[in-house]
Amino acid sequence: MKIGQMLLRAGLVTKEQLEEALKKQQDEGGRLGFNLVKLGFVTEEQLNSYLSRQHHIDSIDLDKVRVNEDLKKLIPAEIARRYQVIPIEQSSRTLIVAMTDPGNLFAIDDLRFSLGMEIEPHVCASSMVLRALKEWYPESEAIVSVDEKNIQTAVKDDNDSVTDDSDLIMGDAVFETLIEEGEDEDDFVGEDEIMAELADSPVVKLVNSVIADAVRRGASDIHFEPFEKFIRIRYRIDGVLHEIMRPSRKYRSALVSRLKIIGGMNIAERHLPQDGRQKVKVGDRFVDMRLATLPTLFGEKVEVRLLDRSKVILDLEKLGFEEESLAQFRRAIHRPYGIVLVTGPTGCGKTTTLYSALTELNDVGVNIMTAENPVEFNLKGINQVQMNEEVGLTFASALRAYLRQDPDIIMVGEIRDMETSAIAIRAALTGHLVLSTTHTNDAPSTINRLVDIGTEPYMLSTSLVCIASQRLIRKLCPKCRTPVSIPETALEEAGIDPNRFEGATFYEGTGCDYCNNTGYAGRIGIFEVMPIDEEIRELIESDANSVQIEKAALAKGMVNLREAAVRIFSRGITSLDEVIRETVATS
């Protein structure tokens, strides 16, 4: 029986008082019991008594409990606020806690997993818990969804912006707005069970808290992965996945539907992959989210990519280029025409490098146009176009249109087919500078990749100016970086000459709270820049393989990815394990 019905049957409230409290709950939010207490219709003690009967567990009066400081520290402030939970007493491996919602299995599972203890919940009026949270813990971060029409950004200068967020919707109300405004009612026909699950506050709180926590930890991706008996939630932090929690699989449908609604996707479609986007605000930080679903054996997997605008650095000087590599790359992007390519796997920072180059080239006297999918970041003074293959706006068709727009510099998100490659080359040969990306392992193999998709070698040799390959490598945590000794045999096995490190000090991260016990904090780029000179052009035209091209480039002083990583390692910025993990030894 619901708490309102129990209090009504007991004669503690009238029907009119219950309706007034329900209306206040609808207008202002909060639990029904909280609003009944706030209106003065019942006391906290009376509410606790009936909450205990409703949940069949003991209640607790927080005003009569004294909690020592050590016990308060047992549950971090963020988790206490997230689940509205207060630690009361520890007995052996069991922790007694006061909760506003002891039926929140997500909270109990998360606490059990993170603390390594059994959790014994006691119910407590939310007004008491909120009072205790305010007294014992600092205020919580709010997660805010940002509708496109509600955000207006006025750029003050190249590196600073002011956002008018007076109309932003706070907290859970945003998701109600998305349901009402972002979807047609017909889309939810036959989905009553899912929508009923979505109304369950634990699902809403779990998704909100996971997103907020991922942003706080600096994660680039969140993975929601369904398995036979549980859902695995993992964060990708500094390029490595970390498991965070394992909620029960019975919440799978509600969890996936919740994420689909956030991303503006169709919750009724479960058999095809879908993509969605949303902007959120966590605290005072704006974050772009890209969501993608994929049907798997045990349900739909959802991947959420996070782009924290406050962490975007668009400065070539700060990306990690070696001095000579940066000089070569800068000479290439300042040429009046030709193609400059940035290569590497997904998530290695190619877009950031191109944006940094465009920021440096951006001038009122230059017409810069981009074709992107998606547009990752808005650049002042640059014409950016979002690709839409559903209506025929592809990289190739956009490039054709750009050539009629009097451009000086064109950025193409990716050269993935012969048509796009041919138009990019034509643009380069007719006096335009073209910047783009490809997915290859290193700079020399990019030539073979472009030839493989059908590009003529003689066209490549005449249009290419420079190819830069890159990776992101983790930096050692500055708080727990510790000197270590590394045997010469380990260096030799990694293809590194031990003699170059004579007298050098090596470091590794031992793990601490600052770096989530990983030993690493943040990443830095490593770059392999290959200018296209006459010798490389001749090799391209003679259909040379990537090994021959690499040898010629190394002979002319190219710093390859392994050497760039070793140089960072020698300065104590990263570890030997990272060098081996991200790069391949030169044969």
Side-chain angles (χ1 to χ4, degrees), residues 569-581:
F569 166 62
S570 68
R571 297 199 293 268
I573 297 174
T574 192
S575 67
L576 180 62
D577 288 341
E578 274 296 286
V579 173
I580 296 171
R581 189 177 73 91

Side-chain angles (χ1 to χ4, degrees), residues 192-211:
D192 294 339
E193 183 179 344
I194 290 179
M195 295 312 294
E197 287 185 76
L198 282 179
D200 187 16
S201 61
V203 175
V204 173
K205 291 176 181 176
L206 175 69
V207 174
N208 281 13
S209 61
V210 166
I211 294 170

Side-chain angles (χ1 to χ4, degrees), residues 418-542:
M418 183 176 67
E419 186 180 14
T420 307
S421 174
I423 301 170
I425 289 173
R426 190 177 76 186
L429 293 178
T430 53
H432 307 90
L433 179 66
V434 179
L435 308 179
S436 190
T437 72
T438 57
H439 286 85
T440 54
N441 291 325
D442 53 29
S445 63
T446 305
I447 306 294
N448 296 120
R449 165 65 180 157
L450 293 173
V451 171
D452 185 58
I453 64 175
T455 311
E456 293 291 342
Y458 74 91
M459 298 291 284
L460 279 178
S461 66
T462 54
S463 58
L464 274 178
V465 172
C466 179
I467 303 173
S469 182
Q470 69 179 81
R471 296 289 188 280
L472 290 175
I473 197 166
R474 292 188 292 174
K475 297 191 293 184
L476 292 171
C477 173
K479 305 289 186 181
C480 63
R481 192 182 72 153
T482 305
V484 294
S485 60
I486 297 178
E488 289 189 2
T489 53
L491 294 171
E492 290 172 349
E493 288 175 1
I496 302 171
D497 182 6
N499 295 324
R500 66 183 292 183
F501 295 107
E502 189 173 347
T505 303
F506 303 112
Y507 295 90
E508 283 185 2
T510 57
C512 63
D513 292 339
Y514 180 79
C515 62
N516 294 315
N517 293 311
T518 62
Y520 299 94
R523 290 188 290 177
I524 189 172
I526 54 173
F527 296 85
E528 173 182 279
V529 178
M530 186 178 78
I532 308 299
D533 60 14
E534 289 304 318
E535 183 179 350
I536 302 293
R537 292 185 202 282
E538 290 176 4
L539 287 172
I540 294 173
E541 291 180 9
S542 63

Side-chain angles (χ1 to χ4, degrees), residues 314 355 358-359 362 370 372 377-384:
L314 303 181
Y355 278 178
L358 290 178
T359 301
N362 193 10
T370 74
E372 305 174 59
F377 194 74
N378 298 328
L379 299 174
K380 174 188 173 184
I382 293 176
N383 303 288
Q384 296 173 270

Side-chain angles (χ1 to χ4, degrees), residues 348-366:
C348 72
K350 298 187 297 295
T351 301
T352 300
T353 300
L354 287 182
Y355 278 178
S356 300
L358 290 178
T359 301
E360 184 166 308
L361 295 169
N362 193 10
D363 184 83
V364 69
V366 179

